[in-house]
Amino acid sequence: MKKIINLGSLNLDKVYLVEKFVQPGESIHALRYSENCGGKGLNQSIAMARAGAYVYHAGKIGKDGIRLRDCLKEAGVETSFLEETGAVSGHALIQVEQSGQNSIIVHRGANDLIQKDYISNVLEKFSPEDVLVLQNEISNVDYAIIEAKKRGLRVVFNPSPIDENVLEYKLSDVDCFILNENEAGFLAGISEFDEDNAISRLREKYPEASFVMTLGEKGSYYFDRSRKFYQEIFRVDAVDTTGAGDTFCGYYVAGMIKGLNIPERLYLASAAAAMAVCVSGAAQSIPHLGDVNHFLAARERKAI
Ligand code: RIB
């Protein structure tokens, strides 16, 4: 059985429910406050585990981050690679509007202390065809991509949050990109997003890669050089969209490792993401596979 190693961020999410996002020069009262486990890395590991995959999570936390380790363990994620550092844990300040939209500031903290030798030591424990999952919230992502590819691992990259530095990474070594609209447009090099244009540019730029592109209300796509599949969304009333993208990523990768076909992966990932937006918070909103199947059955849709 192929293994999944997720080298990713762990954040303490400080979540403020607000009527409207705070504007420059303004001070506002939060309607509610909570502190939860999050970080794109942690969320994706939990999503993969809840989708039924066995996942190793590697990353760094501070002394204040024991809760993050516990949260992964409780979800059944293997945490022996996690290291505690003297730095503060990564944390995110998240405003959530009543519409469910969010706005996030991340301080990388210990996530920024992922050194090259740590990455090499972790990757050494994995074999060709195992899968490395990466997001863009830790240091030395580029090194991890190159090293993993050298060792024959399959590299899944969710370049979130995206910035100019990503364009300097050796993206030709990425086997599968998981992108939202903003990330797809950025990598495709188009200023006005148009899905057909994004798809053809991405195919041209990275002909060996496969892509999963999530477009919010407009559904999601899988495409590679020769194939394209589409999945519509499951309509729900959103409470909080934080972590929905991570839920999608985790379910997609778990489906891949479990040998589901591509339409099945997209279908389950969309259903899981729809469920995640119905619950506040990031990690805590990620559903278990059994609950996703109940959700589907309640809609008279096929369980997987
Ligand atoms: O994708 C959601 C995540 O982004 C949050 O959990 C927060 O920690 C930020 O990393």
Side-chain angles (χ1 to χ4, degrees):
M1 175 74 167
K2 298 295 160 217
K3 290 186 281 195
I4 304 176
I5 168 69
N6 181 9
L7 178 58
S9 59
L10 304 98
N11 291 338
L12 291 163
D13 286 355
K14 297 161 190 290
V15 184
Y16 303 82
L17 179 68
V18 294
E19 216 157 280
K20 280 217 140 300
F21 295 145
V22 66
Q23 299 299 305
E26 220 183 31
S27 298
I28 57 170
H29 285 287
L31 302 173
R32 206 169 60 220
Y33 172 73
S34 59
E35 198 166 318
N36 310 317
C37 295
K40 295 182 193 305
L42 177 146
N43 298 338
Q44 291 182 21
S45 281
I46 290 181
M48 290 186 268
R50 292 194 177 151
Y54 193 70
V55 189
Y56 294 76
H57 189 101
K60 304 221 180 184
I61 52 175
K63 292 204 186 326
D64 55 345
I66 303 309
R67 184 178 169 195
L68 297 168
R69 186 199 300 262
D70 292 345
C71 181
L72 284 175
K73 277 189 177 165
E74 269 164 36
V77 175
E78 158 62 51
T79 57
S80 54
F81 293 118
L82 262 196
E83 279 185 10
E84 193 182 306
T85 69
V88 63
S89 292
H91 50 272
L93 198 154
I94 305 179
Q95 296 179 66
V96 180
E97 278 189 356
Q98 279 170 319
S99 65
Q101 281 305 307
N102 64 34
S103 130
I104 306 182
I105 301 175
V106 176
H107 175 66
R108 285 183 178 224
N111 296 313
D112 220 10
L113 301 180
I114 309 281
Q115 310 297 7
K116 293 182 176 173
D117 56 345
Y118 171 78
I119 295 174
S120 301
N121 289 337
V122 169
L123 293 179
E124 209 167 77
K125 312 289 185 313
F126 292 86
S127 315
E129 295 303 314
D130 285 343
V131 176
L132 171 69
V133 179
L134 290 164
Q135 312 75 32
N136 198 34
E137 278 190 330
I138 58 164
S139 46
N140 286 311
V141 170
D142 191 28
Y143 180 80
I145 293 174
I146 294 169
E147 276 305 294
K149 194 66 185 178
K150 249 196 237 164
R151 292 164 198 264
L153 276 77
R154 285 152 75 198
V155 179
V156 175
F157 184 34
N158 167 227
S160 183
I162 201 152
D163 58 29
E164 293 286 338
N165 295 329
V166 170
L167 300 176
E168 308 298 319
Y169 299 174
K170 197 171 175 218
L171 297 178
S172 54
D173 277 357
V174 172
D175 295 287
C176 173
F177 290 92
I178 304 186
L179 309 168
N180 65 19
E181 180 168 324
N182 173 39
E183 292 146 9
F186 191 90
L187 279 193
I190 52 177
S191 47
E192 290 239 336
F193 188 82
D194 163 86
E195 56 199 58
D196 292 334
N197 193 13
I199 291 173
S200 65
R201 297 259 192 136
L202 288 168
R203 277 175 163 158
E204 243 170 61
K205 276 180 98 168
Y206 310 108
E208 303 305 326
S210 61
F211 296 85
V212 175
M213 187 169 80
T214 59
L215 301 178
E217 296 273 297
K218 291 180 278 172
S220 55
Y221 287 94
Y222 166 96
F223 57 94
D224 57 28
R225 195 169 20 189
S226 55
R227 295 176 297 176
K228 186 161 104 175
F229 298 95
Y230 172 73
Q231 171 66 51
E232 62 188 14
I233 62 157
F234 292 87
R235 288 209 179 271
V236 289
D237 290 327
V239 170
D240 180 0
T241 56
T242 314
D246 299 328
T247 304
F248 194 105
C249 281
Y251 264 77
Y252 182 84
V253 177
M256 186 172 102
I257 206 94
K258 287 163 63 183
L260 299 188
N261 64 37
I262 293 164
E264 286 172 338
R265 294 177 211 167
L266 292 178
Y267 173 75
L268 267 190
S270 302
M275 288 182 76
V277 304
C278 297
V279 179
S280 298
Q284 69 214 46
S285 71
I286 301 168
H288 289 85
L289 180 58
D291 296 326
V292 178
N293 277 322
H294 280 131
F295 170 91
L296 289 166
R299 283 173 164 67
E300 296 179 359
R301 303 287 296 272
K302 189 176 91 175
I304 292 191

